[in-house]
Amino acid sequence: MSAVLDSHGHVAGHDDHHGAPHGWRRWVFATNHKDIGTLYLLFAFAMLMAGGVLALLIRAELFRPGLQLVNPELFNQLTTMHGLIMVFGAIMPAFVGFANWMIPLQIGASDMAFARMNNFSFWLMIPAAVTLVSSFFMPGGAPAAGWTLYAPLTLQMGPSMDAGIFAMHILGASSIMGSINIIVTILNMRAPGMTLMKMPMFVWTWLITAYLLIAVMPVLAGAITMTLTDRHFGTTFFNPAGGGDPIMYQHIFWFFGHPEVYIMILPAFGIISQIVPAFARKKLFGYASMVYATSSIAILSFIVWAHHMYATGMPVTGQLFFMYATMLISVPTGVKVFNWIATMWKGSMTFETPMLFAVGFIFVFTMGGFTGLILSMAPIDVQMQDTYYVVAHFHYVLVAGSLFAMFAGFYYWSPKWTGVMYNETRGKIHFWMTLISFNVTFFPMHFLGLAGMPRRYADYPMQFADFNALASVGAFIFGFTQVYFFLFVVLPTMRGHGAKAPQKPWEAAEGLEWEVPSPAPFHTFENPPKLDATATRVIG
């Protein structure tokens, strides 16, 4: 059957062979990058809600001193599972969803390189997520060793620990397959004329992130497999009774864990680097330096892992090396922040919701970066280690970093996804409620940490009560604001309620994604587009 092309060179909708399939088969057997991207994003939001419920249980318990709702053992299960679900179930899959949706559109490719593997890597996540969440109902309850799964606690947990390890293996396999797909797609399927240094920043950040994932996910797999053999097969990698070393686990875990932090923030940098120039109506300042800074962050992330371990009795020489290396990694991050501000400088800025979230991201992420710089100093970190100062720091980086960037990306690209404009007033309500409640929740935690309140404790003395009550109120407002976002922003746009989106809703936005109609047709760029000299527009 010959394909009928419309005026844009896309397959016309009445050609049954090329049209979107209908019903449940469209989603279960999905090989189209847009459908799989949508599945990833919906899955990630569901996991965000699951992890959020656990977070609100934690904050409800900490609202007042004394034990209110849960016992300390369940409290530790909640903190552990909240971390695992948010990191591996919400943040990472959401960015893979953005990658699936946007990378083929941004590089002029017809789809991802390995469409069936793309489907498989998504559907692996469902049994992994079910296994992870169901561990609450196993004998002894869910894993309670902290999301870092430190030995020797992990060697003493019940059967849910094995379920958790199994789930992490499956999620890791999914991540590795997704990364291979992204790398092959970017390197082999760009439209003719799109050189590497003409790629959009979002594509660049994901190319580097995918290499990071392939490098470090097997390290995590090794660490948890050694834990598994310690538990059941008589090995003593981390068991001191048999000559093992629990500190070795920490080294292996953080060799994965620190690059993992950048895996969760680099795609966010890419999204912000797309949005700021569009609403400042200027070219991105220092494109090449942004690419080199991103690469530098990725490389340096492999030599700073033990700054998480200053309190383990590390020799002073080691502390000095990791301290200076950690300070060094703040330089390329500072370059990025400088470039975003320089892009906005004397720009003709407007503040629609995507730009609000982007500016909010820059402001709050920079605060998180500075608290990280403070923690990089060994003498200070020894005091702050395992206090609420650390909790405040990484939530400023991961919530105000990754999550704010995702919200910005949703508002920026959803007109292209759905064909309708979101409600601007509701978007701004979502932004201001999120920004204010986030800071009310996590800013007081800096002071709690400085005053010596340890994290992962279900109870605390009276002097910490006021700031904890404030943080809990903020957390509930923050959580319900995200429910509002789903019910009153996401669902209406998914159902097509709202003003029809033009092909290019943001006048100064650049990139091939704005060269296709809104909503983006089921199949795009079946024939490689001819690009202009900037590789941002299609000729003819």
Side-chain angles (χ1 to χ4, degrees):
M1 186 185 292
S2 63
V4 182
L5 301 182
D6 63 16
S7 57
H8 292 280
H10 306 116
V11 179
H14 63 262
D15 185 345
D16 295 335
H17 180 66
H18 285 81
H22 295 289
W24 60 270
R25 281 185 176 80
R26 170 178 179 175
W27 302 101
V28 173
F29 303 122
T31 51
N32 183 282
H33 71 96
K34 302 177 183 76
D35 284 356
I36 293 174
T38 303
L39 287 170
Y40 266 111
L41 289 168
L42 289 172
F43 168 82
F45 192 83
M47 294 304 281
L48 183 77
M49 291 293 101
V53 167
L54 304 185
L56 293 186
L57 285 171
I58 292 166
R59 287 313 323 169
E61 173 56 52
L62 293 173
F63 182 67
R64 290 188 311 185
L67 295 177
Q68 318 294 329
L69 302 172
V70 299
N71 61 38
E73 194 167 350
L74 179 56
F75 185 86
N76 284 343
Q77 293 172 28
L78 293 174
T79 53
T80 302
M81 295 301 291
H82 165 71
L84 290 174
I85 288 169
M86 288 302 201
V87 170
F88 297 102
I91 302 286
M92 290 170 69
F95 278 136
V96 177
F98 276 102
N100 264 293
W101 245 107
M102 298 316 303
I103 287 173
L105 286 178
Q106 290 191 319
I107 65 174
S110 57
D111 208 306
M112 297 295 280
F114 306 117
R116 291 185 191 279
M117 187 166 83
N118 206 9
N119 175 289
F120 185 46
S121 66
F122 170 74
W123 285 110
L124 273 180
M125 304 195 74
I126 304 298
V130 170
T131 304
L132 202 56
V133 175
S134 66
S135 64
F136 274 110
F137 307 103
M138 295 178 185
W147 80 275
T148 50
L149 305 177
Y150 274 4
L153 271 176
T154 44
L155 310 182
Q156 300 158 11
M157 294 281 136
S160 64
M161 191 70 234
D162 304 320
I165 289 171
F166 185 48
M168 305 281 283
H169 273 301
I170 300 173
L171 290 167
S174 169
S175 292
I176 289 170
M177 283 193 282
S179 301
I180 291 168
N181 215 343
I182 286 165
I183 290 169
V184 174
T185 303
I186 294 171
L187 295 185
N188 291 348
M189 297 178 67
R190 300 191 307 281
M194 181 176 281
T195 60
L196 286 173
M197 292 307 283
K198 287 181 180 174
M199 295 194 310
M201 273 310 301
F202 180 67
V203 179
W204 255 117
T205 54
W206 244 116
L207 178 64
I208 292 165
T209 301
Y211 276 112
L212 275 179
L213 271 164
I214 289 174
V216 302
M217 290 312 290
V219 178
L220 175 67
I224 58 178
T225 303
M226 289 154 88
T227 302
L228 194 70
T229 61
D230 273 10
R231 284 169 57 80
H232 297 295
F233 299 104
T235 59
T236 53
F237 291 112
F238 310 130
N239 187 352
D245 186 3
I247 301 297
M248 182 172 75
Y249 176 88
Q250 295 190 29
H251 279 291
I252 300 169
F253 178 87
W254 286 115
F255 191 78
F256 149 81
H258 202 78
E260 166 70 12
V261 172
Y262 294 103
I263 285 164
M264 291 188 282
I265 201 66
L266 290 183
F269 290 165
I271 292 172
I272 301 304
S273 301
Q274 302 289 133
I275 293 171
V276 169
F279 292 92
R281 290 158 181 79
K282 280 173 65 188
K283 288 272 189 198
L284 179 67
F285 180 90
Y287 171 90
S289 65
M290 289 291 253
V291 172
Y292 297 137
T294 309
S295 308
S296 306
I297 288 170
I299 293 162
L300 290 171
S301 73
F302 284 100
I303 63 163
V304 298
W305 77 89
H307 65 209
H308 298 269
M309 299 169 55
Y310 289 141
T312 59
M314 188 187 301
V316 173
T317 318
Q319 291 188 10
L320 286 171
F321 170 80
F322 287 106
M323 185 164 85
Y324 293 139
T326 306
M327 289 178 181
L328 187 64
I329 208 168
S330 68
V331 176
T333 311
V335 168
K336 286 178 166 298
V337 175
F338 175 84
N339 285 8
W340 291 324
I341 294 169
T343 305
M344 292 188 276
W345 180 254
K346 293 192 175 177
S348 181
M349 285 199 291
T350 53
F351 291 97
E352 290 87 350
T353 310
M355 187 60 164
L356 285 176
F357 269 107
V359 174
F361 166 93
I362 295 168
F363 169 64
V364 193
F365 172 77
T366 304
M367 289 172 62
F370 276 124
T371 57
L373 199 53
I374 290 165
L375 288 170
S376 75
M377 299 177 206
I380 298 177
D381 182 81
V382 169
Q383 306 296 317
M384 296 294 102
Q385 177 69 28
D386 272 329
T387 70
Y388 265 75
Y389 191 90
V390 177
V391 177
H393 157 67
F394 71 66
H395 282 89
Y396 264 79
V397 173
L398 284 184
V399 181
S402 302
L403 199 62
F404 275 35
M406 288 176 202
F407 289 144
F410 171 83
Y411 286 108
Y412 183 60
W413 282 312
S414 67
K416 183 59 60 187
W417 299 346
T418 62
V420 298
M421 295 301 293
Y422 63 87
N423 184 302
E424 189 66 54
T425 306
R426 292 176 183 177
K428 286 181 172 164
I429 290 170
H430 175 225
F431 168 73
W432 286 111
M433 292 290 287
T434 298
L435 183 74
I436 293 166
S437 61
F438 168 79
N439 282 290
V440 168
T441 304
F442 293 106
F443 198 71
M445 292 185 189
H446 292 102
F447 302 109
L448 288 170
L450 287 166
M453 180 174 166
R455 63 177 172 171
R456 299 178 186 164
Y457 275 40
D459 193 10
Y460 54 86
M462 198 66 204
Q463 67 258 35
F464 301 136
D466 292 348
F467 276 166
N468 267 300
L470 190 63
S472 291
V473 170
F476 274 87
I477 297 171
F478 183 86
F480 286 113
T481 301
Q482 309 326 315
V483 176
Y484 167 87
F485 163 67
F486 186 74
L487 294 179
F488 297 105
V489 179
V490 177
L491 280 184
T493 57
M494 286 176 69
R495 289 174 177 165
H497 300 162
K500 187 168 178 358
Q503 178 172 314
K504 194 172 180 182
W506 320 115
E507 62 199 66
E510 285 194 342
L512 297 186
E513 69 261 43
W514 309 112
E515 298 287 305
V516 301
S518 297
F522 191 68
H523 293 287
T524 41
F525 301 124
E526 291 217 319
N527 299 309
K530 293 186 176 68
L531 306 183
D532 66 0
T534 65
T536 59
R537 295 187 67 82
V538 177
I539 303 170

